[in-house]
Amino acid sequence: MLLARFKRREYIRIMLRDVLKIAPLAETTAEISALADVLIEEALREAETHLLHRYEPPQHTDREGRFVNTPFAILALGKLGVASSTTART
């Protein structure tokens, strides 16, 4: 799967920058958080495409009783990285 290969490559790149002291901790944690965002976005896009090909788009009724498409969403509990916390550990 392309997404898994991309994830491995990016984790290795981020880890090497950290181990070789090329990037400070704040930058490393920001990159990990950004990578998590990209991976979740792409996984959502792949899942939505797969589901829309297999099933009809999900719908709900609006206030006027009309059927409208319901967007797909991901709910995350907890922290996905430094971007979701108020302070970064150093």
Side-chain angles (χ1 to χ4, degrees):
M1 178 186 256
L2 290 174
L3 189 58
R5 194 175 324 151
F6 172 75
K7 176 184 169 185
R8 275 192 305 275
R9 187 178 67 234
E10 287 302 300
Y11 271 134
I12 290 169
R13 181 187 65 77
I14 293 168
M15 185 248 342
L16 285 174
R17 286 173 43 85
D18 183 43
V19 169
L20 297 173
K21 306 290 186 205
I22 295 171
L25 180 60
E27 189 174 320
T28 300
T29 55
E31 285 187 353
I32 292 170
S33 182
L35 177 59
D37 288 344
V38 168
L39 293 171
I40 290 170
E41 260 184 55
E42 187 55 32
L44 171 63
R45 191 176 359 266
E46 285 183 23
E48 188 172 26
T49 299
H50 174 74
L51 290 171
L52 289 175
H53 279 81
R54 188 169 183 168
Y55 305 103
E56 293 184 19
Q59 295 185 329
H60 67 280
T61 54
D62 65 9
R63 291 181 184 196
E64 293 151 11
R66 298 175 298 194
F67 285 104
V68 294
N69 288 347
T70 304
F72 199 76
I74 292 179
L75 300 177
L77 302 175
K79 296 180 182 176
L80 292 176
V82 73
S84 67
S85 66
T86 56
T87 60
R89 294 184 187 205
T90 55

